[in-house]
Amino acid sequence: MELRALRYFVTVADELHFGRAADRLHIAQPAVSRQIARLERELGVRLLDRSPQRVGLTAAGHRVLDAAREALASADRVRAVAREQAGVMRIGTGTGQFTARLERGIDALRERAAAFDVVLVDLPLPARLNALRQGEIDLALARGVRSAPGVRVLPAWTESLFAVVSARHPAAGGEVVGVAELAADPFRTSQDHDLAVLTALREAGVQVRPGRRAGTVQDTIVEVGSDPRGWTVLPADQVAEIRSTRVRAIPLAPRTTIIGSVAVPDDLPPTCMAAHQAAFGD
């Protein structure tokens, strides 16, 4: 019996919907259905009542659900003990993001705890949070996330947002810039940052028209620097890491901010949560 199948079953039982369960697991819906059908065959009982209108637990499903939760919790405890003995901390991050914050945070944690090795795992934000839920990483850094199912999201820092424009852009010499001044120009986004940044802009009442998406923040910066009218928006931490002389970073007016958070497992002891939050915060 695979733990994966038990995890899929528990997720469907939580959602009572195969599509929503697949979204939470970040996999295709048919894969969820196949795993649960295989689990039912292996156990010799029907766990779910399925119809076009609804999904429900059978009597056997209710009994198996409690045991499945216990099995998954036990497996998570085994992994936690193994990681503790191995002295490894796996941190979820994004490509080219959080560099200075990671360095400060890791140093702060090492002052409080025994020596440990660090493994950085670069993943897009949804996959990063899912890896944390699945016990594949120990904590994750994220921007623009207030809550997420199955994990605890701890607000840790606030960053100002900056417009990043080509050095040849008419706004490049200004001390501040309003988004309205840039709205007619092509706005560049990347898969690494656009969702969190666009959400922060929208909540501040700022509307932009996303253009073609680049692969990474670094790619976006190169594209902006190559286009006299190109621009994007980045948080302060990422602005501090720009090395290109082909772009300029200008504070937005009015000032617009984004929240950065540390995401940790739901069952992490409160003292550890507080330590992680403080280590990576401002």
Side-chain angles (χ1 to χ4, degrees), residues 39-105:
L39 180 62
E40 288 177 322
R41 289 195 300 271
E42 186 172 355
L43 295 176
V45 295
R46 188 161 51 87
L47 302 173
L48 299 168
D49 282 325
R50 305 163 176 84
S51 75
Q53 289 77 33
R54 63 181 296 276
V55 175
L57 286 164
T58 65
H62 280 289
R63 292 192 295 272
V64 171
L65 178 60
D66 290 339
R69 291 191 195 280
E70 291 175 7
L72 292 173
S74 296
D76 289 342
R77 287 194 293 271
V78 169
R79 280 192 289 264
V81 170
R83 289 197 301 271
E84 183 178 336
Q85 294 302 312
V88 174
M89 177 173 289
R90 301 162 302 170
I91 302 176
T93 182
T95 304
Q97 297 186 47
F98 308 114
T99 302
R101 192 166 297 278
L102 281 164
E103 290 174 344
R104 294 195 303 269

Short mmCIF file of all heavy atoms in Angstrom, two decimals, residues 39-105:
data_model
loop_
_atom_site.label_atom_id
_atom_site.label_comp_id
_atom_site.label_asym_id
_atom_site.label_seq_id
_atom_site.Cartn_x
_atom_site.Cartn_y
_atom_site.Cartn_z
N LEU A 39 -6.51 1.70 -4.59
CA LEU A 39 -6.56 1.51 -3.15
C LEU A 39 -7.80 0.71 -2.77
O LEU A 39 -7.73 -0.19 -1.91
CB LEU A 39 -6.56 2.87 -2.45
CG LEU A 39 -6.63 2.87 -0.92
CD1 LEU A 39 -5.41 2.19 -0.32
CD2 LEU A 39 -6.76 4.30 -0.40
N GLU A 40 -8.93 1.00 -3.40
CA GLU A 40 -10.15 0.26 -3.11
C GLU A 40 -10.00 -1.21 -3.47
O GLU A 40 -10.44 -2.10 -2.73
CB GLU A 40 -11.33 0.88 -3.86
CG GLU A 40 -11.77 2.22 -3.29
CD GLU A 40 -12.89 2.87 -4.08
OE1 GLU A 40 -12.88 2.74 -5.33
OE2 GLU A 40 -13.77 3.49 -3.48
N ARG A 41 -9.37 -1.48 -4.62
CA ARG A 41 -9.16 -2.88 -5.01
C ARG A 41 -8.23 -3.58 -4.02
O ARG A 41 -8.46 -4.73 -3.64
CB ARG A 41 -8.56 -2.95 -6.42
CG ARG A 41 -9.53 -2.57 -7.52
CD ARG A 41 -8.99 -3.00 -8.89
NE ARG A 41 -7.70 -2.39 -9.20
CZ ARG A 41 -7.56 -1.23 -9.81
NH1 ARG A 41 -8.63 -0.52 -10.16
NH2 ARG A 41 -6.37 -0.76 -10.08
N GLU A 42 -7.21 -2.89 -3.58
CA GLU A 42 -6.25 -3.49 -2.65
C GLU A 42 -6.90 -3.78 -1.30
O GLU A 42 -6.63 -4.82 -0.69
CB GLU A 42 -5.05 -2.56 -2.47
CG GLU A 42 -3.92 -3.15 -1.65
CD GLU A 42 -2.69 -2.27 -1.65
OE1 GLU A 42 -2.68 -1.25 -2.37
OE2 GLU A 42 -1.73 -2.61 -0.94
N LEU A 43 -7.76 -2.87 -0.84
CA LEU A 43 -8.42 -3.06 0.45
C LEU A 43 -9.65 -3.95 0.36
O LEU A 43 -10.12 -4.48 1.37
CB LEU A 43 -8.83 -1.70 1.03
CG LEU A 43 -7.68 -0.73 1.39
CD1 LEU A 43 -8.23 0.59 1.86
CD2 LEU A 43 -6.77 -1.33 2.45
N GLY A 44 -10.19 -4.08 -0.83
CA GLY A 44 -11.37 -4.92 -1.01
C GLY A 44 -12.65 -4.29 -0.52
O GLY A 44 -13.64 -4.99 -0.24
N VAL A 45 -12.68 -2.95 -0.41
CA VAL A 45 -13.89 -2.24 0.01
C VAL A 45 -14.04 -0.99 -0.85
O VAL A 45 -13.07 -0.46 -1.40
CB VAL A 45 -13.85 -1.83 1.50
CG1 VAL A 45 -13.83 -3.05 2.40
CG2 VAL A 45 -12.65 -0.92 1.79
N ARG A 46 -15.27 -0.51 -0.96
CA ARG A 46 -15.53 0.75 -1.64
C ARG A 46 -15.46 1.88 -0.62
O ARG A 46 -16.13 1.85 0.41
CB ARG A 46 -16.91 0.70 -2.31
CG ARG A 46 -17.21 1.89 -3.21
CD ARG A 46 -18.35 1.56 -4.19
NE ARG A 46 -19.50 1.02 -3.47
CZ ARG A 46 -20.46 1.76 -2.93
NH1 ARG A 46 -20.41 3.08 -3.04
NH2 ARG A 46 -21.47 1.20 -2.31
N LEU A 47 -14.62 2.86 -0.90
CA LEU A 47 -14.39 3.94 0.04
C LEU A 47 -15.26 5.16 -0.23
O LEU A 47 -15.58 5.91 0.69
CB LEU A 47 -12.91 4.37 -0.01
CG LEU A 47 -11.88 3.28 0.30
CD1 LEU A 47 -10.48 3.81 0.04
CD2 LEU A 47 -12.03 2.81 1.74
N LEU A 48 -15.63 5.35 -1.50
CA LEU A 48 -16.35 6.55 -1.89
C LEU A 48 -17.59 6.20 -2.71
O LEU A 48 -17.55 5.29 -3.54
CB LEU A 48 -15.45 7.48 -2.73
CG LEU A 48 -14.18 8.01 -2.05
CD1 LEU A 48 -13.28 8.65 -3.08
CD2 LEU A 48 -14.53 9.01 -0.95
N ASP A 49 -18.66 6.91 -2.45
CA ASP A 49 -19.83 6.88 -3.33
C ASP A 49 -19.66 8.00 -4.34
O ASP A 49 -19.53 9.18 -3.96
CB ASP A 49 -21.12 7.10 -2.52
CG ASP A 49 -21.55 5.85 -1.79
OD1 ASP A 49 -21.35 4.75 -2.33
OD2 ASP A 49 -22.07 5.98 -0.66
N ARG A 50 -19.69 7.66 -5.61
CA ARG A 50 -19.48 8.65 -6.66
C ARG A 50 -20.75 8.80 -7.49
O ARG A 50 -21.37 7.80 -7.84
CB ARG A 50 -18.34 8.23 -7.58
CG ARG A 50 -17.02 7.93 -6.89
CD ARG A 50 -16.12 7.13 -7.83
NE ARG A 50 -14.80 6.86 -7.31
CZ ARG A 50 -14.49 5.86 -6.50
NH1 ARG A 50 -15.44 5.03 -6.08
NH2 ARG A 50 -13.25 5.67 -6.10
N SER A 51 -21.09 10.02 -7.79
CA SER A 51 -22.18 10.30 -8.72
C SER A 51 -21.83 11.60 -9.42
O SER A 51 -20.94 12.33 -8.98
CB SER A 51 -23.52 10.43 -7.98
OG SER A 51 -23.58 11.67 -7.31
N PRO A 52 -22.52 11.91 -10.54
CA PRO A 52 -22.20 13.17 -11.23
C PRO A 52 -22.42 14.40 -10.35
O PRO A 52 -21.81 15.44 -10.56
CB PRO A 52 -23.18 13.17 -12.42
CG PRO A 52 -23.48 11.73 -12.66
CD PRO A 52 -23.47 11.09 -11.30
N GLN A 53 -23.30 14.27 -9.34
CA GLN A 53 -23.63 15.43 -8.52
C GLN A 53 -22.78 15.55 -7.27
O GLN A 53 -22.54 16.64 -6.77
CB GLN A 53 -25.11 15.38 -8.08
CG GLN A 53 -26.11 15.64 -9.20
CD GLN A 53 -26.28 14.43 -10.11
OE1 GLN A 53 -26.20 13.29 -9.64
NE2 GLN A 53 -26.51 14.68 -11.39
N ARG A 54 -22.31 14.42 -6.74
CA ARG A 54 -21.63 14.51 -5.45
C ARG A 54 -20.68 13.34 -5.25
O ARG A 54 -20.77 12.32 -5.92
CB ARG A 54 -22.64 14.53 -4.29
CG ARG A 54 -23.48 13.28 -4.18
CD ARG A 54 -24.49 13.37 -3.04
NE ARG A 54 -23.84 13.46 -1.75
CZ ARG A 54 -23.41 12.40 -1.06
NH1 ARG A 54 -23.57 11.17 -1.55
NH2 ARG A 54 -22.85 12.55 0.11
N VAL A 55 -19.77 13.52 -4.29
CA VAL A 55 -18.88 12.46 -3.84
C VAL A 55 -19.07 12.36 -2.33
O VAL A 55 -19.05 13.38 -1.62
CB VAL A 55 -17.41 12.75 -4.17
CG1 VAL A 55 -16.50 11.69 -3.57
CG2 VAL A 55 -17.21 12.84 -5.67
N GLY A 56 -19.26 11.16 -1.83
CA GLY A 56 -19.43 10.97 -0.39
C GLY A 56 -18.67 9.76 0.10
O GLY A 56 -18.30 8.87 -0.68
N LEU A 57 -18.40 9.73 1.39
CA LEU A 57 -17.72 8.59 2.00
C LEU A 57 -18.72 7.48 2.31
O LEU A 57 -19.83 7.74 2.79
CB LEU A 57 -17.03 9.02 3.29
CG LEU A 57 -15.75 9.85 3.16
CD1 LEU A 57 -15.42 10.50 4.48
CD2 LEU A 57 -14.60 9.00 2.68
N THR A 58 -18.33 6.26 2.02
CA THR A 58 -19.11 5.11 2.47
C THR A 58 -18.84 4.87 3.95
O THR A 58 -17.95 5.51 4.55
CB THR A 58 -18.73 3.85 1.68
OG1 THR A 58 -17.36 3.52 1.97
CG2 THR A 58 -18.91 4.06 0.17
N ALA A 59 -19.57 3.94 4.56
CA ALA A 59 -19.31 3.60 5.97
C ALA A 59 -17.88 3.10 6.13
O ALA A 59 -17.17 3.46 7.08
CB ALA A 59 -20.32 2.55 6.44
N ALA A 60 -17.43 2.25 5.19
CA ALA A 60 -16.04 1.77 5.24
C ALA A 60 -15.07 2.93 5.04
O ALA A 60 -14.00 2.99 5.65
CB ALA A 60 -15.83 0.69 4.18
N GLY A 61 -15.44 3.87 4.16
CA GLY A 61 -14.59 5.02 3.91
C GLY A 61 -14.35 5.85 5.15
O GLY A 61 -13.24 6.32 5.41
N HIS A 62 -15.41 6.04 5.94
CA HIS A 62 -15.26 6.79 7.19
C HIS A 62 -14.27 6.10 8.13
O HIS A 62 -13.43 6.76 8.76
CB HIS A 62 -16.61 6.94 7.88
CG HIS A 62 -17.48 8.02 7.32
ND1 HIS A 62 -17.21 9.36 7.50
CD2 HIS A 62 -18.61 7.95 6.56
CE1 HIS A 62 -18.14 10.08 6.90
NE2 HIS A 62 -19.00 9.25 6.31
N ARG A 63 -14.37 4.78 8.23
CA ARG A 63 -13.46 4.05 9.13
C ARG A 63 -12.03 4.09 8.61
O ARG A 63 -11.08 4.29 9.39
CB ARG A 63 -13.94 2.60 9.29
CG ARG A 63 -15.27 2.47 10.06
CD ARG A 63 -15.54 1.03 10.43
NE ARG A 63 -15.74 0.18 9.26
CZ ARG A 63 -16.91 -0.01 8.66
NH1 ARG A 63 -18.00 0.62 9.13
NH2 ARG A 63 -17.03 -0.80 7.62
N VAL A 64 -11.87 3.90 7.31
CA VAL A 64 -10.53 3.91 6.73
C VAL A 64 -9.90 5.30 6.81
O VAL A 64 -8.69 5.44 6.98
CB VAL A 64 -10.57 3.41 5.26
CG1 VAL A 64 -9.22 3.62 4.57
CG2 VAL A 64 -10.95 1.92 5.23
N LEU A 65 -10.74 6.34 6.72
CA LEU A 65 -10.21 7.71 6.74
C LEU A 65 -9.44 7.97 8.03
O LEU A 65 -8.34 8.54 8.00
CB LEU A 65 -11.36 8.70 6.58
CG LEU A 65 -10.97 10.19 6.63
CD1 LEU A 65 -9.98 10.53 5.53
CD2 LEU A 65 -12.23 11.05 6.53
N ASP A 66 -10.00 7.58 9.16
CA ASP A 66 -9.30 7.81 10.43
C ASP A 66 -7.97 7.08 10.46
O ASP A 66 -6.94 7.64 10.88
CB ASP A 66 -10.17 7.33 11.60
CG ASP A 66 -11.40 8.22 11.81
OD1 ASP A 66 -11.36 9.38 11.36
OD2 ASP A 66 -12.38 7.74 12.41
N ALA A 67 -7.97 5.83 9.99
CA ALA A 67 -6.72 5.06 9.98
C ALA A 67 -5.72 5.66 9.00
O ALA A 67 -4.50 5.67 9.26
CB ALA A 67 -7.02 3.60 9.61
N ALA A 68 -6.21 6.16 7.85
CA ALA A 68 -5.32 6.77 6.86
C ALA A 68 -4.66 8.02 7.42
O ALA A 68 -3.46 8.25 7.22
CB ALA A 68 -6.11 7.09 5.59
N ARG A 69 -5.44 8.83 8.12
CA ARG A 69 -4.85 10.03 8.73
C ARG A 69 -3.77 9.65 9.74
O ARG A 69 -2.71 10.29 9.81
CB ARG A 69 -5.94 10.85 9.43
CG ARG A 69 -6.95 11.51 8.50
CD ARG A 69 -7.80 12.50 9.30
NE ARG A 69 -8.99 12.91 8.59
CZ ARG A 69 -9.04 13.83 7.64
NH1 ARG A 69 -7.91 14.42 7.26
NH2 ARG A 69 -10.19 14.15 7.06
N GLU A 70 -4.04 8.62 10.54
CA GLU A 70 -3.04 8.18 11.52
C GLU A 70 -1.78 7.68 10.83
O GLU A 70 -0.66 7.96 11.26
CB GLU A 70 -3.63 7.07 12.39
CG GLU A 70 -4.73 7.55 13.33
CD GLU A 70 -5.37 6.38 14.08
OE1 GLU A 70 -4.86 5.26 13.96
OE2 GLU A 70 -6.37 6.61 14.79
N ALA A 71 -1.94 6.93 9.73
CA ALA A 71 -0.78 6.41 9.00
C ALA A 71 0.05 7.53 8.42
O ALA A 71 1.29 7.51 8.49
CB ALA A 71 -1.25 5.46 7.89
N LEU A 72 -0.60 8.53 7.84
CA LEU A 72 0.13 9.65 7.26
C LEU A 72 0.84 10.46 8.35
O LEU A 72 1.98 10.90 8.16
CB LEU A 72 -0.82 10.55 6.47
CG LEU A 72 -1.39 9.93 5.20
CD1 LEU A 72 -2.46 10.84 4.60
CD2 LEU A 72 -0.30 9.65 4.17
N ALA A 73 0.17 10.65 9.48
CA ALA A 73 0.80 11.37 10.58
C ALA A 73 2.03 10.63 11.10
O ALA A 73 3.06 11.22 11.41
CB ALA A 73 -0.20 11.60 11.71
N SER A 74 1.91 9.30 11.19
CA SER A 74 3.05 8.49 11.64
C SER A 74 4.20 8.60 10.66
O SER A 74 5.37 8.72 11.06
CB SER A 74 2.62 7.03 11.79
OG SER A 74 1.65 6.88 12.81
N ALA A 75 3.89 8.56 9.35
CA ALA A 75 4.94 8.68 8.35
C ALA A 75 5.61 10.04 8.43
O ALA A 75 6.84 10.15 8.29
CB ALA A 75 4.35 8.47 6.95
N ASP A 76 4.83 11.10 8.68
CA ASP A 76 5.41 12.43 8.82
C ASP A 76 6.33 12.50 10.03
O ASP A 76 7.39 13.14 9.99
CB ASP A 76 4.29 13.48 8.95
CG ASP A 76 3.54 13.70 7.65
OD1 ASP A 76 4.07 13.32 6.58
OD2 ASP A 76 2.42 14.24 7.70
N ARG A 77 5.94 11.84 11.12
CA ARG A 77 6.81 11.84 12.32
C ARG A 77 8.11 11.11 12.04
O ARG A 77 9.18 11.52 12.50
CB ARG A 77 6.06 11.20 13.50
CG ARG A 77 4.96 12.09 14.08
CD ARG A 77 4.48 11.58 15.42
NE ARG A 77 3.79 10.29 15.31
CZ ARG A 77 2.49 10.17 15.09
NH1 ARG A 77 1.74 11.25 14.94
NH2 ARG A 77 1.93 8.97 15.02
N VAL A 78 8.04 10.01 11.30
CA VAL A 78 9.26 9.27 10.94
C VAL A 78 10.18 10.16 10.12
O VAL A 78 11.39 10.21 10.37
CB VAL A 78 8.89 7.99 10.17
CG1 VAL A 78 10.15 7.36 9.57
CG2 VAL A 78 8.19 6.99 11.08
N ARG A 79 9.61 10.87 9.14
CA ARG A 79 10.44 11.75 8.32
C ARG A 79 11.06 12.86 9.16
O ARG A 79 12.23 13.22 8.96
CB ARG A 79 9.59 12.34 7.19
CG ARG A 79 9.39 11.40 6.01
CD ARG A 79 8.80 12.14 4.82
NE ARG A 79 7.41 12.51 5.05
CZ ARG A 79 6.38 11.79 4.64
NH1 ARG A 79 6.59 10.68 3.96
NH2 ARG A 79 5.14 12.19 4.89
N ALA A 80 10.27 13.41 10.10
CA ALA A 80 10.78 14.49 10.94
C ALA A 80 11.95 14.01 11.79
O ALA A 80 12.96 14.71 11.93
CB ALA A 80 9.66 15.04 11.83
N VAL A 81 11.82 12.82 12.38
CA VAL A 81 12.91 12.27 13.19
C VAL A 81 14.14 12.03 12.34
O VAL A 81 15.27 12.34 12.74
CB VAL A 81 12.45 10.97 13.89
CG1 VAL A 81 13.64 10.27 14.52
CG2 VAL A 81 11.39 11.27 14.93
N ALA A 82 13.94 11.49 11.14
CA ALA A 82 15.07 11.21 10.25
C ALA A 82 15.78 12.51 9.87
O ALA A 82 17.02 12.57 9.85
CB ALA A 82 14.58 10.48 9.00
N ARG A 83 15.00 13.56 9.58
CA ARG A 83 15.62 14.84 9.21
C ARG A 83 16.40 15.41 10.39
O ARG A 83 17.47 15.97 10.23
CB ARG A 83 14.55 15.83 8.75
CG ARG A 83 13.94 15.49 7.41
CD ARG A 83 13.22 16.69 6.84
NE ARG A 83 12.15 17.18 7.70
CZ ARG A 83 10.90 16.75 7.66
NH1 ARG A 83 10.57 15.80 6.80
NH2 ARG A 83 9.99 17.26 8.45
N GLU A 84 15.81 15.29 11.59
CA GLU A 84 16.49 15.81 12.77
C GLU A 84 17.82 15.11 12.99
O GLU A 84 18.83 15.74 13.30
CB GLU A 84 15.58 15.65 13.98
CG GLU A 84 16.15 16.23 15.25
CD GLU A 84 15.19 16.08 16.41
OE1 GLU A 84 13.97 15.98 16.19
OE2 GLU A 84 15.68 16.07 17.55
N GLN A 85 17.81 13.79 12.81
CA GLN A 85 19.05 13.03 12.99
C GLN A 85 20.05 13.36 11.89
O GLN A 85 21.25 13.39 12.12
CB GLN A 85 18.74 11.53 13.00
CG GLN A 85 17.92 11.07 14.19
CD GLN A 85 18.59 11.40 15.51
OE1 GLN A 85 19.77 11.14 15.69
NE2 GLN A 85 17.83 11.99 16.43
N ALA A 86 19.54 13.60 10.68
CA ALA A 86 20.44 13.90 9.57
C ALA A 86 20.97 15.32 9.64
O ALA A 86 21.98 15.65 9.01
CB ALA A 86 19.71 13.70 8.24
N GLY A 87 20.29 16.21 10.40
CA GLY A 87 20.74 17.58 10.51
C GLY A 87 20.61 18.35 9.22
O GLY A 87 21.51 19.09 8.84
N VAL A 88 19.48 18.16 8.52
CA VAL A 88 19.26 18.81 7.23
C VAL A 88 18.00 19.65 7.31
O VAL A 88 16.97 19.21 7.84
CB VAL A 88 19.12 17.77 6.09
CG1 VAL A 88 18.75 18.46 4.77
CG2 VAL A 88 20.41 16.98 5.93
N MET A 89 18.06 20.87 6.79
CA MET A 89 16.87 21.71 6.65
C MET A 89 16.66 22.01 5.17
O MET A 89 17.54 22.57 4.51
CB MET A 89 17.00 23.01 7.43
CG MET A 89 15.79 23.93 7.24
SD MET A 89 15.83 25.40 8.29
CE MET A 89 15.52 24.66 9.90
N ARG A 90 15.49 21.62 4.67
CA ARG A 90 15.17 21.83 3.26
C ARG A 90 14.25 23.04 3.15
O ARG A 90 13.16 23.04 3.72
CB ARG A 90 14.50 20.59 2.68
CG ARG A 90 15.38 19.34 2.78
CD ARG A 90 14.56 18.07 2.63
NE ARG A 90 13.51 18.01 3.64
CZ ARG A 90 12.52 17.11 3.62
NH1 ARG A 90 12.45 16.22 2.66
NH2 ARG A 90 11.60 17.11 4.58
N ILE A 91 14.70 24.05 2.43
CA ILE A 91 13.98 25.32 2.35
C ILE A 91 13.49 25.52 0.92
O ILE A 91 14.28 25.51 -0.03
CB ILE A 91 14.88 26.49 2.77
CG1 ILE A 91 15.39 26.27 4.21
CG2 ILE A 91 14.12 27.80 2.66
CD1 ILE A 91 16.35 27.33 4.68
N GLY A 92 12.20 25.75 0.79
CA GLY A 92 11.62 26.02 -0.52
C GLY A 92 11.75 27.49 -0.88
O GLY A 92 11.44 28.38 -0.08
N THR A 93 12.23 27.76 -2.08
CA THR A 93 12.44 29.12 -2.53
C THR A 93 12.12 29.20 -4.02
O THR A 93 11.72 28.20 -4.63
CB THR A 93 13.90 29.56 -2.25
OG1 THR A 93 14.07 30.92 -2.65
CG2 THR A 93 14.90 28.68 -2.96
N GLY A 94 12.26 30.38 -4.60
CA GLY A 94 12.05 30.56 -6.03
C GLY A 94 13.36 30.88 -6.70
O GLY A 94 14.27 31.44 -6.08
N THR A 95 13.48 30.57 -7.96
CA THR A 95 14.72 30.80 -8.70
C THR A 95 15.12 32.27 -8.64
O THR A 95 14.35 33.15 -9.01
CB THR A 95 14.56 30.38 -10.17
OG1 THR A 95 14.16 29.02 -10.22
CG2 THR A 95 15.86 30.55 -10.93
N GLY A 96 16.31 32.52 -8.12
CA GLY A 96 16.82 33.89 -8.07
C GLY A 96 16.14 34.78 -7.05
O GLY A 96 16.31 35.99 -7.09
N GLN A 97 15.39 34.20 -6.12
CA GLN A 97 14.67 35.01 -5.14
C GLN A 97 15.23 34.80 -3.72
O GLN A 97 15.82 33.77 -3.43
CB GLN A 97 13.18 34.64 -5.13
CG GLN A 97 12.47 34.91 -6.44
CD GLN A 97 10.99 34.67 -6.32
OE1 GLN A 97 10.35 35.12 -5.37
NE2 GLN A 97 10.42 33.97 -7.27
N PHE A 98 15.04 35.81 -2.89
CA PHE A 98 15.26 35.72 -1.43
C PHE A 98 16.73 35.50 -1.06
O PHE A 98 17.02 35.11 0.07
CB PHE A 98 14.44 34.59 -0.81
CG PHE A 98 12.97 34.60 -1.14
CD1 PHE A 98 12.41 33.60 -1.91
CD2 PHE A 98 12.15 35.62 -0.67
CE1 PHE A 98 11.06 33.60 -2.21
CE2 PHE A 98 10.80 35.64 -0.97
CZ PHE A 98 10.24 34.62 -1.74
N THR A 99 17.67 35.76 -1.94
CA THR A 99 19.07 35.39 -1.67
C THR A 99 19.58 35.99 -0.36
O THR A 99 20.05 35.27 0.53
CB THR A 99 19.98 35.84 -2.83
OG1 THR A 99 19.51 35.23 -4.03
CG2 THR A 99 21.42 35.41 -2.57
N ALA A 100 19.51 37.32 -0.23
CA ALA A 100 20.03 37.96 0.99
C ALA A 100 19.23 37.54 2.21
O ALA A 100 19.79 37.31 3.29
CB ALA A 100 20.01 39.48 0.83
N ARG A 101 17.92 37.41 2.06
CA ARG A 101 17.07 37.01 3.20
C ARG A 101 17.38 35.59 3.64
O ARG A 101 17.38 35.27 4.83
CB ARG A 101 15.59 37.16 2.82
CG ARG A 101 14.65 37.07 4.01
CD ARG A 101 13.27 37.55 3.64
NE ARG A 101 13.26 38.95 3.27
CZ ARG A 101 13.21 39.95 4.14
NH1 ARG A 101 13.16 39.69 5.45
NH2 ARG A 101 13.19 41.21 3.73
N LEU A 102 17.62 34.71 2.67
CA LEU A 102 17.99 33.34 3.01
C LEU A 102 19.30 33.31 3.79
O LEU A 102 19.43 32.59 4.79
CB LEU A 102 18.12 32.50 1.73
CG LEU A 102 16.81 32.01 1.12
CD1 LEU A 102 17.05 31.54 -0.32
CD2 LEU A 102 16.22 30.88 1.94
N GLU A 103 20.27 34.07 3.34
CA GLU A 103 21.58 34.06 4.03
C GLU A 103 21.43 34.55 5.47
O GLU A 103 21.97 33.94 6.40
CB GLU A 103 22.56 34.94 3.25
CG GLU A 103 22.96 34.34 1.90
CD GLU A 103 23.83 35.28 1.08
OE1 GLU A 103 23.88 36.49 1.39
OE2 GLU A 103 24.45 34.80 0.11
N ARG A 104 20.68 35.65 5.65
CA ARG A 104 20.48 36.16 7.01
C ARG A 104 19.69 35.18 7.86
O ARG A 104 20.00 34.95 9.03
CB ARG A 104 19.74 37.51 6.96
CG ARG A 104 20.50 38.64 6.31
CD ARG A 104 19.86 39.99 6.63
NE ARG A 104 18.45 40.05 6.23
CZ ARG A 104 18.03 40.47 5.04
NH1 ARG A 104 18.92 40.83 4.12
NH2 ARG A 104 16.74 40.53 4.77
N GLY A 105 18.65 34.60 7.28
CA GLY A 105 17.79 33.68 8.04
C GLY A 105 18.51 32.43 8.46
O GLY A 105 18.36 31.96 9.60
#
